Amino acid sequence: MIAPDSQDKNLLIERVTAFLSYFELVFDNDWWFTKSTICDDPEFRELFIAKNGTFLNPFPGEFFYGGKSDNWANRTQLLDKYRELRAFLISEGLYEAENPNMF
């Protein structure tokens, strides 16, 4: 468990804040782009998410750091912050990964 006044608490707050910032950018501020990218033209969507991919794991078997012609920087950063937060929570024993081989 994280001590109330520890450096780990500050790291947790930093990671949660960064994740929430990008989450809001992708699913609120950029919603028009997010929605059109994941819902419209399948060929365009597959530049960002493979047929067998998900939003969090867009190209299974590959470490995602941007799409083939990715101009969706906020989503790339969201996934990066998600992975950082997830790894930190696992390392601190605050989250038990259901599938540790997902990434």
Side-chain angles (χ1 to χ4, degrees):
M1 193 55 79
I2 295 177
D5 293 324
S6 70
Q7 181 178 357
D8 288 341
K9 179 183 175 188
N10 293 335
L11 288 172
L12 176 60
I13 291 168
E14 180 182 311
R15 285 180 169 91
V16 168
T17 301
F19 172 77
L20 287 177
S21 295
Y22 282 103
F23 184 89
E24 289 174 357
L25 281 170
V26 170
F27 291 107
D28 189 23
N29 298 18
D30 290 348
W31 178 240
W32 62 271
F33 187 76
T34 301
K35 185 177 175 184
S36 67
T37 301
I38 61 177
C39 295
D40 291 343
D41 180 10
E43 282 187 44
F44 182 67
R45 181 177 53 242
E46 288 174 18
L47 294 173
F48 299 96
I49 302 172
K51 281 185 182 181
N52 63 335
T54 66
F55 189 89
L56 294 178
N57 190 13
F59 296 96
E62 297 178 27
F63 183 78
F64 179 81
Y65 53 86
K68 295 172 185 166
S69 61
D70 193 0
N71 65 349
W72 195 0
N74 289 333
R75 197 266 306 241
T76 301
Q77 289 297 314
L78 171 65
L79 293 177
D80 181 53
K81 300 308 175 194
Y82 162 77
R83 291 182 185 126
E84 283 182 17
L85 177 59
R86 186 176 187 275
F88 181 79
L89 293 173
I90 290 169
S91 74
E92 295 299 315
L94 298 171
Y95 178 73
E96 187 173 320
E98 295 175 1
N99 184 356
N101 297 321
M102 183 172 14
F103 298 110

